[in-house]
Amino acid sequence: MKFLYRSKTIIFILGFIFASCGSSSKIVINDSQIQIPVTNFLYSQDLIYSPDGNISARIPDGWLIVTPQQKSDNANIFAVVCDPDYRYMLTFTELPYNDVKVISSGIDIISLTMGTLKWRKKRFIGNIELIEDPSEINIKSKTFGAFTYSSDSSVAIIRSGIFNTQINGTQKLYECMLTQIPNKYKPLPSNVEIISIHKAILNGIKW
């Protein structure tokens, strides 16, 4: 029964990412929380790759790779990973670079992150409730844009990391998203915990 509940929960959250359904109150992240350190954990030996092999990502040890091939609103989800307790779901998505660029004010990472937020708002049923404004995160030599959001009717908080690459003159835009999974057997992780784990996952991405 617990496995069936978890399976239904994962399906629900996958639908939520693009359709927005559930219920929660607004959570505020203050400035001091933005400086949250990276969580320390062991990485799995398993690597996740984008379909074109452009990027690779390491995941926390013990997390489960689901990996559906799903396209929605021109966004290609190429990997889904859950932690063993089913408190988090991690998704890797290739975003439509040209669509996001058109509604962005520039091609720097913050502009593309703001553009991604606008792009998502246009496709959600209901309103996206921004918890943390888009900001730039520098991890080693890599730069990401990141923001935290929920919706006006969600049960989960979502942390999004945006990054872009260029191969043979072609720009690619990706999103690494960490989502709370509603689980009646476990308490929801805190927003501070989510940001810390998300930073560690971003640290394991290479391009």
Side-chain angles (χ1 to χ4, degrees):
M1 291 298 294
K2 188 178 290 188
F3 174 79
L4 179 60
Y5 168 79
R6 289 171 175 174
S7 298
K8 289 181 177 179
T9 300
I10 293 170
I11 292 170
F12 169 78
I13 291 293
L14 278 171
F16 164 77
I17 290 174
F18 292 103
S20 177
C21 41
S23 73
S24 86
S25 58
K26 185 173 183 178
I27 297 176
V28 176
I29 298 176
N30 61 43
D31 291 340
S32 63
Q33 290 175 322
I34 304 304
Q35 306 304 318
I36 296 167
V38 173
T39 294
N40 290 319
F41 53 56
L42 294 175
Y43 288 102
S44 168
Q45 295 300 311
D46 296 324
L47 288 175
I48 287 173
Y49 294 93
S50 59
D52 56 11
N54 189 18
I55 68 164
S56 66
R58 302 180 71 187
I59 61 173
D61 191 38
W63 286 36
L64 313 172
I65 301 175
V66 181
T67 317
Q69 294 299 318
Q70 175 179 337
K71 289 189 177 182
S72 179
D73 293 326
N74 296 322
N76 181 18
I77 299 175
F78 58 85
V80 175
V81 185
C82 293
D83 74 298
D85 293 327
Y86 288 84
R87 299 174 70 226
Y88 305 101
M89 184 177 70
L90 177 66
T91 57
F92 290 89
T93 305
E94 182 179 343
L95 298 169
Y97 177 81
N98 289 331
D99 291 355
V100 172
K101 179 183 175 183
V102 166
I103 55 177
S104 301
S105 58
I107 58 172
D108 60 282
I109 194 61
I110 288 298
S111 296
L112 290 173
T113 302
M114 291 292 294
T116 300
L117 180 58
K118 292 177 184 177
W119 181 83
R120 284 220 176 277
K121 284 182 176 180
K122 290 174 65 175
R123 283 155 180 78
F124 263 66
I125 301 171
N127 297 316
I128 284 181
E129 191 171 358
L130 194 61
I131 297 171
E132 180 205 335
D133 290 333
S135 60
E136 183 176 307
I137 296 177
N138 295 295
I139 301 177
K140 296 180 179 177
S141 61
K142 301 183 294 291
T143 301
F144 301 86
F147 59 95
T148 308
Y149 69 96
S150 182
S151 80
D152 56 358
S153 60
S154 76
V155 295
I157 294 172
I158 299 172
R159 177 72 173 174
S160 174
I162 307 298
F163 56 103
N164 67 311
T165 69
Q166 181 173 320
I167 280 190
N168 298 325
T170 301
Q171 290 282 350
K172 295 290 186 77
L173 187 65
Y174 298 96
E175 181 175 40
C176 172
M177 181 188 295
L178 187 64
T179 305
Q180 292 175 333
I181 297 179
N183 187 333
K184 65 182 179 182
Y185 301 104
K186 298 283 184 178
L188 282 175
S190 69
N191 50 320
V192 174
E193 183 180 355
I194 288 173
I195 293 175
S196 180
I197 292 175
H198 189 249
K199 281 186 175 181
I201 292 167
L202 295 181
N203 186 51
I205 297 175
K206 292 184 179 180
W207 65 85

Coordinates of all heavy atoms in Angstrom, one line a residue, residues 20-73:
S20 N -0.1 22.6 -12.0 CA -0.3 23.3 -10.8 C -1.6 22.9 -10.1 O -2.7 23.4 -10.4 CB -0.3 24.8 -11.0 OG -0.7 25.5 -9.8
C21 N -1.6 22.0 -9.1 CA -2.8 21.7 -8.3 C -2.4 21.3 -6.9 O -1.3 20.8 -6.7 CB -3.6 20.6 -9.0 SG -2.7 19.2 -9.7
G22 N -3.2 21.6 -5.9 CA -3.0 21.3 -4.5 C -3.3 22.5 -3.6 O -4.1 23.3 -4.0
S23 N -2.7 22.7 -2.3 CA -2.9 23.8 -1.5 C -1.8 24.1 -0.5 O -1.3 23.2 0.1 CB -4.2 23.6 -0.7 OG -4.1 22.7 0.3
S24 N -1.4 25.4 -0.3 CA -0.4 25.8 0.7 C -0.4 27.2 1.0 O -0.9 28.0 0.2 CB 1.0 25.3 0.3 OG 1.6 26.2 -0.5
S25 N 0.2 27.6 2.1 CA 0.4 29.1 2.4 C 1.7 29.6 2.0 O 2.6 28.8 1.8 CB 0.2 29.3 3.9 OG 1.1 28.5 4.6
K26 N 1.9 30.9 1.9 CA 3.1 31.5 1.4 C 4.2 31.3 2.5 O 4.0 31.5 3.6 CB 2.9 32.9 1.1 CG 4.1 33.6 0.5 CD 3.8 35.0 0.0 CE 5.0 35.6 -0.7 NZ 4.7 37.0 -1.1
I27 N 5.4 31.0 2.0 CA 6.6 30.9 2.9 C 7.6 31.9 2.4 O 7.9 32.1 1.3 CB 7.2 29.5 2.8 CG1 6.1 28.5 3.3 CG2 8.4 29.4 3.6 CD1 6.6 27.0 3.2
V28 N 8.1 32.7 3.4 CA 9.1 33.7 3.1 C 10.5 33.3 3.4 O 10.7 32.7 4.5 CB 8.8 35.0 3.8 CG1 9.8 36.1 3.5 CG2 7.4 35.5 3.4
I29 N 11.4 33.4 2.5 CA 12.8 33.2 2.7 C 13.5 34.5 2.9 O 13.5 35.3 2.0 CB 13.5 32.4 1.6 CG1 12.8 31.0 1.4 CG2 15.0 32.2 1.8 CD1 13.3 30.2 0.2
N30 N 14.1 34.7 4.1 CA 14.8 36.0 4.3 C 16.2 36.0 3.8 O 16.7 35.0 3.4 CB 14.7 36.4 5.8 CG 15.4 35.4 6.7 OD1 16.5 34.9 6.3 ND2 14.9 35.0 7.8
D31 N 16.8 37.2 3.8 CA 18.1 37.3 3.2 C 19.2 36.4 3.8 O 20.1 35.9 3.1 CB 18.6 38.8 3.3 CG 17.8 39.7 2.4 OD1 17.1 39.2 1.5 OD2 17.8 40.9 2.7
S32 N 19.1 36.2 5.2 CA 20.1 35.4 5.8 C 20.0 33.9 5.3 O 21.0 33.2 5.3 CB 20.0 35.4 7.3 OG 18.7 34.9 7.7
Q33 N 18.8 33.5 5.0 CA 18.7 32.1 4.5 C 19.2 31.9 3.1 O 19.5 30.7 2.8 CB 17.2 31.7 4.6 CG 16.6 31.6 6.0 CD 15.2 31.3 6.0 OE1 14.4 31.9 5.2 NE2 14.7 30.5 6.9
I34 N 19.4 32.9 2.4 CA 19.9 32.8 1.0 C 21.4 32.3 1.1 O 21.8 31.6 0.2 CB 19.8 34.1 0.2 CG1 18.4 34.6 0.2 CG2 20.3 34.0 -1.2 CD1 17.4 33.6 -0.3
Q35 N 22.1 32.6 2.2 CA 23.5 32.2 2.3 C 23.6 30.8 2.9 O 24.6 30.5 3.6 CB 24.2 33.2 3.2 CG 24.1 34.6 2.7 CD 24.6 34.8 1.2 OE1 25.6 34.2 0.8 NE2 23.9 35.6 0.4
I36 N 22.7 29.9 2.7 CA 22.7 28.6 3.2 C 23.8 27.8 2.6 O 24.0 27.8 1.4 CB 21.3 27.9 2.9 CG1 20.2 28.6 3.6 CG2 21.3 26.4 3.3 CD1 18.8 28.2 3.2
P37 N 24.6 27.1 3.4 CA 25.7 26.3 2.9 C 25.2 25.1 2.1 O 24.1 24.6 2.2 CB 26.4 25.8 4.2 CG 25.4 25.8 5.2 CD 24.5 27.0 4.9
V38 N 26.1 24.5 1.3 CA 25.8 23.3 0.5 C 25.8 22.1 1.5 O 26.6 21.9 2.3 CB 26.9 23.1 -0.5 CG1 26.7 21.8 -1.3 CG2 26.9 24.2 -1.5
T39 N 24.7 21.3 1.3 CA 24.6 20.0 2.1 C 25.8 19.1 1.7 O 26.1 18.9 0.5 CB 23.3 19.3 1.8 OG1 22.2 20.2 2.3 CG2 23.2 18.0 2.5
N40 N 26.4 18.4 2.6 CA 27.4 17.4 2.3 C 26.8 16.1 2.3 O 26.1 15.6 3.2 CB 28.5 17.5 3.4 CG 29.3 18.7 3.4 OD1 29.7 19.2 2.3 ND2 29.6 19.3 4.5
F41 N 26.9 15.4 1.2 CA 26.5 14.0 1.1 C 27.3 13.2 0.1 O 28.0 13.9 -0.8 CB 25.0 13.9 0.8 CG 24.5 14.6 -0.4 CD1 25.1 14.4 -1.7 CD2 23.5 15.5 -0.3 CE1 24.6 15.1 -2.8 CE2 23.0 16.2 -1.4 CZ 23.6 16.0 -2.7
L42 N 27.2 11.9 0.1 CA 27.9 11.1 -0.9 C 27.2 11.1 -2.2 O 25.9 11.1 -2.2 CB 28.1 9.7 -0.4 CG 29.0 9.5 0.8 CD1 28.9 8.0 1.3 CD2 30.4 9.9 0.5
Y43 N 27.9 11.2 -3.3 CA 27.2 11.1 -4.6 C 27.2 9.6 -5.0 O 28.1 8.9 -4.8 CB 28.0 11.9 -5.6 CG 27.9 13.4 -5.5 CD1 28.9 14.2 -4.9 CD2 26.7 14.1 -5.9 CE1 28.8 15.5 -4.8 CE2 26.6 15.4 -5.8 CZ 27.6 16.2 -5.2 OH 27.5 17.5 -5.1
S44 N 26.1 9.3 -5.8 CA 26.0 8.0 -6.4 C 27.0 7.9 -7.5 O 27.5 8.9 -8.1 CB 24.6 7.8 -6.9 OG 24.5 6.7 -7.7
Q45 N 27.4 6.6 -7.8 CA 28.3 6.4 -9.0 C 27.5 6.6 -10.3 O 28.1 6.7 -11.4 CB 28.9 5.0 -8.9 CG 29.8 4.8 -7.8 CD 31.0 5.7 -7.8 OE1 31.7 5.9 -8.8 NE2 31.3 6.4 -6.7
D46 N 26.1 6.5 -10.2 CA 25.3 6.7 -11.4 C 25.3 8.1 -11.9 O 25.2 9.1 -11.0 CB 23.9 6.3 -11.1 CG 23.7 4.8 -10.7 OD1 24.5 4.0 -11.3 OD2 22.9 4.5 -9.9
L47 N 25.4 8.3 -13.2 CA 25.3 9.7 -13.8 C 24.1 9.8 -14.6 O 23.6 8.8 -15.2 CB 26.6 9.9 -14.6 CG 27.9 10.1 -13.9 CD1 29.0 10.3 -14.9 CD2 27.9 11.4 -13.0
I48 N 23.5 11.0 -14.6 CA 22.4 11.3 -15.5 C 22.9 12.2 -16.6 O 23.7 13.1 -16.4 CB 21.3 12.1 -14.7 CG1 20.6 11.1 -13.8 CG2 20.3 12.7 -15.7 CD1 19.6 11.8 -12.9
Y49 N 22.5 11.9 -17.9 CA 22.9 12.6 -19.0 C 21.7 13.2 -19.7 O 20.6 12.6 -19.8 CB 23.7 11.7 -20.0 CG 25.0 11.2 -19.5 CD1 25.1 10.0 -18.8 CD2 26.2 11.9 -19.6 CE1 26.3 9.5 -18.4 CE2 27.4 11.4 -19.1 CZ 27.4 10.2 -18.5 OH 28.6 9.7 -18.0
S50 N 21.9 14.4 -20.3 CA 20.9 14.9 -21.2 C 20.8 14.1 -22.5 O 21.8 13.4 -22.8 CB 21.2 16.4 -21.5 OG 22.4 16.5 -22.2
P51 N 19.7 14.1 -23.2 CA 19.6 13.2 -24.4 C 20.7 13.5 -25.4 O 21.2 12.5 -26.1 CB 18.3 13.6 -25.0 CG 17.5 14.1 -23.8 CD 18.5 14.7 -22.9
D52 N 21.2 14.7 -25.5 CA 22.3 15.0 -26.5 C 23.7 14.8 -25.9 O 24.7 15.0 -26.5 CB 22.2 16.4 -27.0 CG 22.2 17.5 -25.9 OD1 22.5 17.1 -24.7 OD2 21.8 18.6 -26.2
G53 N 23.7 14.4 -24.6 CA 25.0 14.1 -23.9 C 25.8 15.4 -23.6 O 26.9 15.4 -23.2
N54 N 25.0 16.5 -23.7 CA 25.6 17.9 -23.4 C 26.0 18.1 -22.0 O 27.0 18.7 -21.7 CB 24.7 18.9 -23.9 CG 25.3 20.3 -23.9 OD1 26.5 20.5 -23.9 ND2 24.4 21.3 -24.0
I55 N 25.2 17.6 -21.1 CA 25.5 17.7 -19.6 C 25.4 16.4 -18.9 O 24.8 15.4 -19.4 CB 24.4 18.7 -19.0 CG1 23.0 18.1 -19.0 CG2 24.4 20.0 -19.7 CD1 22.1 18.7 -18.0
S56 N 26.1 16.3 -17.8 CA 25.9 15.2 -16.9 C 25.7 15.7 -15.5 O 26.0 16.8 -15.2 CB 27.2 14.3 -17.0 OG 28.3 15.0 -16.4
A57 N 25.0 14.8 -14.7 CA 24.7 15.2 -13.3 C 24.9 14.1 -12.4 O 24.5 12.9 -12.7 CB 23.3 15.8 -13.3
R58 N 25.5 14.3 -11.3 CA 25.6 13.3 -10.2 C 24.5 13.5 -9.2 O 24.0 14.7 -9.0 CB 26.9 13.5 -9.5 CG 28.1 13.4 -10.4 CD 29.5 13.5 -9.7 NE 29.7 12.3 -8.8 CZ 30.7 12.2 -8.0 NH1 31.5 13.3 -7.8 NH2 30.9 11.1 -7.2
I59 N 24.0 12.4 -8.7 CA 22.8 12.5 -7.8 C 23.3 12.0 -6.4 O 24.3 11.2 -6.3 CB 21.6 11.7 -8.3 CG1 22.0 10.2 -8.5 CG2 21.1 12.3 -9.6 CD1 20.8 9.4 -8.8
P60 N 22.5 12.3 -5.3 CA 22.9 11.8 -4.0 C 22.8 10.3 -4.0 O 22.0 9.6 -4.7 CB 21.8 12.4 -3.1 CG 21.3 13.6 -3.8 CD 21.4 13.3 -5.3
D61 N 23.7 9.7 -3.3 CA 23.8 8.2 -3.2 C 22.5 7.7 -2.6 O 22.0 8.2 -1.6 CB 25.0 7.8 -2.3 CG 25.3 6.3 -2.3 OD1 25.1 5.7 -3.4 OD2 25.6 5.8 -1.3
G62 N 22.0 6.6 -3.2 CA 20.7 6.0 -2.7 C 19.5 6.5 -3.3 O 18.4 6.0 -3.1
W63 N 19.5 7.7 -4.0 CA 18.3 8.2 -4.7 C 18.0 7.3 -5.9 O 18.8 6.7 -6.5 CB 18.6 9.6 -5.1 CG 18.5 10.6 -3.9 CD1 19.0 10.4 -2.7 CD2 18.0 11.9 -3.9 NE1 18.9 11.5 -1.9 CE2 18.2 12.4 -2.6 CE3 17.4 12.7 -4.9 CZ2 17.8 13.7 -2.2 CZ3 17.0 14.0 -4.5 CH2 17.2 14.5 -3.2
L64 N 16.7 7.3 -6.2 CA 16.2 6.4 -7.2 C 15.9 7.1 -8.5 O 15.2 8.1 -8.5 CB 14.9 5.7 -6.6 CG 14.9 5.2 -5.2 CD1 13.5 4.8 -4.7 CD2 15.9 4.0 -5.1
I65 N 16.4 6.5 -9.6 CA 16.2 7.1 -10.9 C 14.9 6.6 -11.5 O 14.8 5.4 -11.7 CB 17.4 6.9 -11.8 CG1 18.7 7.5 -11.2 CG2 17.1 7.4 -13.2 CD1 19.9 7.1 -12.0
V66 N 14.0 7.5 -11.8 CA 12.7 7.1 -12.4 C 12.8 7.3 -14.0 O 12.4 6.4 -14.7 CB 11.5 7.9 -11.9 CG1 10.2 7.5 -12.5 CG2 11.5 7.7 -10.3
T67 N 13.3 8.4 -14.4 CA 13.6 8.7 -15.8 C 12.5 8.4 -16.8 O 12.6 7.5 -17.6 CB 14.9 8.0 -16.2 OG1 15.8 8.1 -15.2 CG2 15.4 8.6 -17.5
P68 N 11.4 9.2 -16.8 CA 10.4 9.1 -17.8 C 10.8 9.9 -19.0 O 11.5 10.9 -18.9 CB 9.1 9.6 -17.2 CG 9.6 10.7 -16.3 CD 11.0 10.2 -15.8
Q69 N 10.4 9.5 -20.2 CA 10.6 10.4 -21.4 C 9.3 11.1 -21.6 O 8.3 10.6 -22.1 CB 11.0 9.6 -22.6 CG 12.3 8.9 -22.5 CD 13.5 9.9 -22.3 OE1 13.5 10.9 -23.0 NE2 14.4 9.6 -21.5
Q70 N 9.2 12.4 -21.2 CA 8.0 13.1 -21.2 C 8.2 14.5 -21.8 O 9.2 15.2 -21.4 CB 7.4 13.2 -19.8 CG 6.2 14.1 -19.7 CD 5.6 14.1 -18.3 OE1 5.9 13.3 -17.5 NE2 4.9 15.2 -18.0
K71 N 7.4 14.9 -22.7 CA 7.4 16.3 -23.2 C 6.1 17.0 -22.8 O 5.0 16.5 -22.9 CB 7.6 16.3 -24.7 CG 9.0 15.8 -25.2 CD 9.2 16.1 -26.6 CE 10.6 15.7 -27.0 NZ 10.9 15.9 -28.5
S72 N 6.3 18.3 -22.4 CA 5.1 19.0 -22.0 C 5.4 20.5 -22.3 O 6.4 21.0 -21.8 CB 4.7 18.8 -20.6 OG 3.6 19.6 -20.2
D73 N 4.6 21.2 -23.0 CA 4.8 22.6 -23.3 C 6.1 22.9 -23.9 O 6.8 23.8 -23.5 CB 4.5 23.4 -22.0 CG 3.1 23.4 -21.6 OD1 2.2 23.4 -22.4 OD2 2.9 23.5 -20.4

